[in-house]
Structures are given as structure tokens and as C-alpha cells.
Amino acid sequence: MTLDAPYLPARDFIGYGERPPAAEWPAGAKLALNIVVNYEEGAEYSIGEGDGVSEAILSDLAVSPAVPGLRNRNMESLYEYGSRVGVWRLISLFRDKGVIPTFYVVGRALELNPAAGKAIAALGSDIVCHGWRWIDYAPLSEEEERQHIAMTVDTVRKITGIDPLGWYTGRPSLNTRRLVAEHGGLLFDCDDYNDDLPYVVDVGGRRHLVVPHSFDNNDSRYSRGSGLETGSQFFEYVSDGVDWLLKEGQKTPRMMTVSLHCRLAARPGRMIGLERFLDKVTAHPDIWVCRRSDLARHWLSRFGG
């Protein structure tokens, strides 16, 4: 098959290969660990938002087929748990443990609950913009997606007072990375899952930083039938990941993302596992628990962008 146009974004199966660059994390850390909290509640697919269908994924609801034109009150209320209870429970735990996570914030969700944005800012978190809506951006026009990027950045600044430095759509289009780079002011995006270190790509002649996200060390496993059901199981899995990367980090320091959702990780039966994990990583001298923007700045200062 012959392609008439460049296959963009181009795929890269080689990356750093056998010789990844020396990250040289601060204080000689062997692992840079970033904890991400996704704040999406209210921005998901919803009849009330004019989408024509209700959300069907990423909740404790086992099976939820999207039925055109019909509200799914079970799904709606499961998402509401994240904004009514979950975000506050997580913020309280992080405050008590002295850990500052990164928040991936969806613009519309923030607009619907600005008090959460104020609390995120008070915690000292950085914010990665997570789209205007928690929807699939592939069907949207380029112009509509461009508008959504601008709306999200403006809303985050207005409500939280934070200048966001990163972007993560989660369900991006083929235009997303280029539009983020063109918007300006955003140092990096996270819309890839293909490495344990940041890397730089060329986007329209611009050098653009990618800080890969993780579906692996991710509490979405609670909703995917992956066999992770309890906080203890989640702790064991992400703890094993930390132990391996610390071992590997004696030669090649890496990064690790642990991703949480307010409606999933913050259930009472899962919080003790998260607390155990925070206790473990904050007590370890070879782990740099960092915000995502700090990790990105370190990488850019060391390798340029």
C-alpha cells in the first residue's frame, strides 16, 4: 500500500534503545515518581451536556452500554462521587502525608466545581490540562479542538490562578499534539504511553517534550476486570513496579507515573493501599516524588527542548 501523505504522527519503534540518557534526577535519585490525580467528574459524556449518550467507561459499574438518548443515572451518580467525596478525601490524604501530586484537570469539570480547583491550588499541585471535556476528540473538527484547548487553559488560570504547563487529552485526535504545540505556553504533553523516560519530538519544526503517561500503574484497572479489586492488590502491583525501577535505576534511573481517579481510588476500601504506598515512597531516599512540571523542567534543563 502506498500512502499519498505522511503518516502523522509518525511511529517510533526504537526510542532510546539500549542506552537511555542519564536522567540525573535531583539529589541522585534513582527514580522520579509522579502521582497524578485525574479530575474529570461532570465533563464525561452526558445527555445534560448535549452529547446524546451517557458515559460508558471508567467507573465501578461493570457493564454500561451507551443507549442513545437515555440518561444513565447509575453512571452519573458514580461520577458524582468523585467530585462530592473522592477529591476531598484524596486531597486530605496528600496533605497529611506531605505529598504534592499533579492534577490532570478537565476544563468543564473544573467549571462545575471551582471549589475543587481552589483546593488543588492550595495543595501546591501543578495542573496538566486534560481537555475541555472528558470525551473522544478524534471526531471533533480541528477548529473545535483548538477552541477547546484555549478554553481549558483559560479556565484553569481563571479559577485556580495556576499557569498550566502540560497537556493530556487521554482520548486525543491525530491533531492534538500539533494544536497543543501551536497554542504555546505548554512545555509538554502526556498523550503517549511508550517509554519510562521523557523524550523530545519534532512538531511542525518545533522541539516538543513528551512526558509519557501510564495506563499500567493506574487505578482504572479497578474498572477493567484486570484482577485488581482492592487497595492492597493495587499497592502490591505499584510497589513491585517501584522496586524493579529502583533496581534498574542503579544503572539507568527512570520515571514512573501512578495515576488515580477521584471516583475510583478514593473509595474507602482502596485508600489504605494508597496510604501504604505513599508511606513507602516518601520514606525511600532514592525516590524523587515530584510534580510533573518539575520533572519536565528538569528534563528540559538537562537535555534542552
Side-chain angles (χ1 to χ4, degrees):
M1 182 178 69
T2 301
L3 298 176
D4 295 328
Y7 194 71
L8 297 174
R11 300 182 69 187
D12 179 0
F13 295 94
I14 298 172
Y16 292 126
E18 278 192 297
R19 294 177 176 82
E24 294 192 3
W25 303 126
K30 306 305 181 186
L31 174 63
L33 175 70
N34 175 231
I35 299 173
V36 168
V37 179
N38 296 267
Y39 189 77
E40 303 162 341
E41 285 76 12
E44 74 277 2
Y45 283 108
S46 168
I47 300 297
E49 292 291 324
D51 298 313
V53 296
S54 292
E55 185 58 82
I57 65 171
L58 280 184
S59 82
D60 281 318
L61 198 60
V63 178
S64 181
V67 180
L70 293 181
R71 290 178 66 181
N72 184 333
R73 188 61 193 134
N74 286 343
M75 183 64 78
E76 289 178 355
S77 62
L78 284 165
Y79 267 75
E80 288 163 13
Y81 187 90
S83 59
R84 291 165 59 108
V85 180
V87 66
W88 306 111
R89 183 172 286 146
L90 290 175
I91 286 173
S92 177
L93 177 64
F94 286 122
R95 186 188 300 118
D96 289 348
K97 297 298 179 180
V99 173
I100 303 178
T102 293
F103 273 79
Y104 285 6
V105 173
V106 182
R108 178 58 175 154
L110 183 64
E111 188 177 60
L112 290 168
N113 190 4
K118 302 295 185 184
I120 289 166
L123 188 62
S125 292
D126 60 335
I127 289 179
V128 168
C129 292
H130 192 10
W132 179 248
R133 298 284 312 287
W134 168 230
I135 58 174
D136 185 354
Y137 271 82
L140 270 65
S141 70
E142 182 173 323
E143 182 55 34
E144 189 172 9
E145 186 174 8
R146 182 181 288 110
Q147 292 173 355
H148 278 208
I149 291 171
M151 289 166 59
T152 306
V153 172
D154 290 346
T155 299
V156 166
R157 285 176 177 154
K158 178 181 177 181
I159 292 177
T160 70
I162 295 172
D163 283 328
L165 298 180
W167 185 273
Y168 174 69
T169 297
R171 291 185 268 187
S173 76
L174 296 180
N175 298 315
T176 300
R177 179 161 291 155
R178 175 175 55 82
L179 294 176
V180 167
E182 289 175 0
H183 180 81
L186 297 166
L187 295 182
F188 62 94
D189 80 67
C190 310
D191 272 314
D192 274 328
Y193 312 88
N194 51 9
D195 214 305
D196 292 319
L197 286 173
Y199 58 89
V200 173
V201 294
D202 180 275
V203 181
R206 299 179 176 89
R207 286 173 58 79
H208 178 78
L209 183 66
V210 179
V211 183
H213 189 56
S214 173
F215 281 152
D216 176 39
N217 305 304
N218 195 310
D219 69 354
S220 62
R221 286 175 171 273
Y222 289 133
S223 70
R224 288 192 267 138
S226 68
L228 291 180
E229 300 294 339
T230 70
S232 295
Q233 290 170 331
F234 185 72
F235 167 78
E236 182 178 0
Y237 188 82
V238 293
S239 180
D240 283 352
V242 163
D243 290 345
W244 181 263
L245 289 176
L246 284 171
K247 177 181 177 180
E248 195 174 278
Q250 299 303 313
K251 293 182 179 179
T252 306
R254 307 277 191 174
M255 61 167 279
M256 179 175 177
T257 301
V258 174
S259 181
L260 310 171
H261 296 75
C262 301
R263 61 192 174 276
L264 294 173
R267 295 290 178 174
R270 297 166 181 164
M271 288 292 291
I272 290 177
L274 176 58
E275 183 179 44
R276 288 175 61 200
F277 181 72
L278 295 182
D279 287 341
K280 171 175 178 165
V281 298
T282 54
H284 202 294
D286 288 336
I287 299 176
W288 177 38
V289 181
C290 59
R291 304 181 307 175
R292 210 162 189 83
S293 58
D294 297 328
L295 192 158
R297 284 194 181 103
H298 172 87
W299 198 264
L300 289 170
S301 69
R302 177 150 172 71
F303 300 104

